[in-house]
Amino acid sequence: MAMRQQQQQPSGLGAHRAWRWTGVAVCAVALGAFLCACGKKDDKQGAGGQMPAPQVGVVTVQPQTVPLVTELPGRLEASRVAQVRARVAGVVQKRVFAEGSDVKAGQLLFQIDPATYQAAYDSARATQAKAEANLNTASALVERYKPLQEAKAVSPQEFLDAQVAARQAQADVAAAKASVQTAQINLGYASVTSPISGRIGRALVTEGALVGQGDTTQLATVQQIDPLYVNFTQSASEALRLQRAMQSGKLAKAGAQGAVVKLVLDDGTEYPLSGKLLFTDLTVDSTSGQVSLRAELPNPKGALLPGLYVRVRLEQAQVQGGILIPQQAVTRGAQGDTVMVVDPQGQVSTRPVKLGGALGNQWVVTEGLKAGEQVMVDGFQKVRPKAPVKAVPWTPPPAGAASQASAPASAPAAK
């Protein structure tokens, strides 16, 4: 029994040593992994033991001629509007146009019963014929009396009476002609025509309606929609500021007409045809401080309709040597507008700038930047105080995609 116990004791000691060697092996593996990780970290930090400079997206600015565009609310209006009215009384016999169609000036629209006016015209012509016959008789009597009066075969009084009768007959003929003309006009009014070329709306009366009885009844409305007018308002102070800037030479006029007008529809698309500014009102609204403007816009296909609310992009001036930068590069605050500029050594500094307005999704910078400077657009969260950065060209996001650029964490509230 004693011999068996002594033989089993070394077996237990071997197991204990085996577990101890297993623990040592695990520790060795962990230590190796730790040393490997440290080696990779050292490799990443580099020979100097420093992290590489973070990359930030920048744009290199270049001066150019930049238009100053102001976006204002406006409303479309037909360039000409004509109310089609019944100018004589009568019953509407028929309507001879399609509602909502384009009509020409002088085109027949309604037919009013012309029987009464045709009879009046015929009567006036008969009266004219009678007056002309009387004039012929009176004129012939004067011609017959003329040699007899020279021969003293008729008295001067008789000759004078014949002359007076001839003149009265001439007046009767003139009155008869005027009556014929009046009757002819009334007969023509029975055929209601379009006063202008344009697009006609719905008919306001139907066949069989009695119109023009005591008042001129409105039958329809014709609107000329090519070209269209767009009416909008602008701040009087802003208009005065632009005018002074152009007079001083800081800004140049936009185009030969002095202004270029574009429309933005409610779905955000821009109307392809440009308009021209017609006039600026001379009076400023005392309640709003706004001045009224009107522009003319071509509408050959009739795609735009009167009464439609639109956004008007008004280009009144151009900045010579202006700079365009993405809007996300600008921090707007109560103390002014600023951007972050990266110098050739990778140092970041804050630069105050002066904005002249927006052009799409970009700001127009008029002061504060020079040609060739790099303005940070992306990577604001990577900037650390006094730490250099690596500037890489910024690529704008695809059209329609949301911008992934981050704004500065300490950016103050926008104006």
Side-chain angles (χ1 to χ4, degrees), residues 58-67 319-326 341 359 362-375 377:
V58 298
V59 292
T60 303
V61 298
Q62 293 295 338
Q64 56 184 306
T65 300
V66 181
V319 181
Q320 304 295 336
I323 293 175
L324 289 176
I325 60 174
V341 179
L359 185 62
Q362 296 180 308
W363 286 119
V364 180
V365 179
T366 58
E367 295 179 12
L369 293 176
K370 299 179 181 178
E373 289 187 317
Q374 294 179 327
V375 177
V377 182

Side-chain angles (χ1 to χ4, degrees), residues 238-399:
E238 182 181 355
L240 184 60
R241 178 180 60 82
L242 286 174
Q243 185 178 5
R244 289 176 177 173
M246 285 186 287
Q247 291 175 352
S248 64
K250 293 181 179 180
L251 300 177
K253 288 186 177 181
Q257 301 293 335
V260 179
V261 179
K262 286 281 190 178
L263 287 191
V264 181
L265 305 180
D266 54 359
D267 59 355
T269 60
E270 187 175 84
Y271 187 66
L273 301 179
S274 300
K276 61 179 180 179
L277 188 64
L278 294 182
F279 73 90
T280 302
D281 203 351
L282 300 177
T283 304
V284 179
D285 192 337
S286 58
T287 58
S288 62
Q290 303 282 320
V291 62
S292 298
L293 298 93
R294 169 175 284 181
E296 185 180 84
L297 194 73
N299 187 30
K301 297 183 180 180
L304 302 177
L305 298 177
L308 184 67
Y309 286 98
V310 293
R311 300 288 298 178
V312 180
R313 286 180 180 167
L314 179 65
E315 178 188 340
Q316 293 175 288
Q318 293 179 340
V319 181
Q320 304 295 336
I323 293 175
L324 289 176
I325 60 174
Q327 289 187 352
Q328 66 193 68
V330 180
T331 301
R332 312 203 69 184
Q335 303 301 322
D337 304 321
T338 60
V339 297
M340 301 185 75
V341 179
V342 182
D343 63 13
Q345 289 73 35
Q347 297 296 325
V348 180
S349 61
T350 302
R351 181 81 58 80
V353 293
K354 187 174 181 181
L355 303 181
L359 185 62
N361 59 352
Q362 296 180 308
W363 286 119
V364 180
V365 179
T366 58
E367 295 179 12
L369 293 176
K370 299 179 181 178
E373 289 187 317
Q374 294 179 327
V375 177
M376 187 186 302
V377 182
D378 191 13
F380 296 96
Q381 73 279 4
K382 302 177 184 178
V383 177
R384 298 293 181 266
K386 299 182 179 181
V389 297
K390 182 180 180 181
V392 297
W394 176 74
T395 303

Side-chain angles (χ1 to χ4, degrees), residues 132-339:
E132 290 173 348
N134 292 335
L135 176 60
N136 292 335
T137 301
S139 299
L141 183 60
V142 171
E143 293 296 325
R144 189 169 63 250
Y145 275 5
K146 188 178 293 184
L148 296 177
Q149 191 270 341
E150 294 175 355
K152 300 186 182 302
V154 294
S155 64
Q157 185 63 42
E158 289 177 330
F159 183 65
L160 180 60
D161 291 343
Q163 288 179 324
V164 170
R167 291 174 183 174
Q168 288 179 346
Q170 288 178 346
D172 292 341
V173 170
K177 287 182 178 180
S179 298
V180 169
Q181 187 176 6
T182 302
Q184 187 176 12
I185 291 173
N186 291 334
L187 180 60
Y189 286 161
S191 299
V192 183
T193 59
S194 176
I196 63 173
S197 297
R199 184 168 297 179
I200 192 168
R202 65 184 181 89
L204 302 179
V205 297
T206 60
E207 291 84 349
L210 178 61
V211 297
Q213 194 71 22
D215 193 10
T216 55
T217 307
Q218 184 175 351
L219 308 179
T221 301
V222 179
Q223 301 183 74
Q224 183 176 337
I225 60 175
D226 183 25
L228 277 173
Y229 290 150
V230 53
N231 300 319
F232 54 101
T233 57
Q234 185 182 23
S235 171
S237 59
E238 182 181 355
L240 184 60
R241 178 180 60 82
L242 286 174
Q243 185 178 5
R244 289 176 177 173
M246 285 186 287
Q247 291 175 352
S248 64
K250 293 181 179 180
L251 300 177
K253 288 186 177 181
Q257 301 293 335
V260 179
V261 179
K262 286 281 190 178
L263 287 191
V264 181
L265 305 180
D266 54 359
D267 59 355
T269 60
E270 187 175 84
Y271 187 66
L273 301 179
S274 300
K276 61 179 180 179
L277 188 64
L278 294 182
F279 73 90
T280 302
D281 203 351
L282 300 177
T283 304
V284 179
D285 192 337
S286 58
T287 58
S288 62
Q290 303 282 320
V291 62
S292 298
L293 298 93
R294 169 175 284 181
E296 185 180 84
L297 194 73
N299 187 30
K301 297 183 180 180
L304 302 177
L305 298 177
L308 184 67
Y309 286 98
V310 293
R311 300 288 298 178
V312 180
R313 286 180 180 167
L314 179 65
E315 178 188 340
Q316 293 175 288
Q318 293 179 340
V319 181
Q320 304 295 336
I323 293 175
L324 289 176
I325 60 174
Q327 289 187 352
Q328 66 193 68
V330 180
T331 301
R332 312 203 69 184
Q335 303 301 322
D337 304 321
T338 60
V339 297

Side-chain angles (χ1 to χ4, degrees), residues 92-99 101 103 107-111 191-193 200 203 207:
V92 177
Q93 287 185 329
K94 58 182 177 179
R95 170 174 62 87
V96 290
F97 69 91
E99 296 176 317
S101 63
V103 296
Q107 178 178 332
L108 181 64
L109 303 178
F110 293 92
Q111 181 62 60
S191 299
V192 183
T193 59
I200 192 168
E207 291 84 349

Side-chain angles (χ1 to χ4, degrees), residues 31-100:
L31 180 60
F34 175 75
L35 293 177
C36 182
C38 292
K40 291 182 178 179
K41 184 176 181 181
D42 290 341
D43 293 342
K44 188 178 295 186
Q45 288 179 345
Q50 296 180 355
M51 293 290 291
Q55 293 185 352
V56 295
V58 298
V59 292
T60 303
V61 298
Q62 293 295 338
Q64 56 184 306
T65 300
V66 181
L68 288 183
V69 179
T70 305
E71 193 164 302
L72 303 166
R75 191 176 185 183
L76 298 179
E77 177 184 327
S79 55
R80 299 172 70 190
V81 180
Q83 294 180 345
V84 181
R85 293 183 175 271
R87 305 177 70 175
V88 292
V91 176
V92 177
Q93 287 185 329
K94 58 182 177 179
R95 170 174 62 87
V96 290
F97 69 91
E99 296 176 317

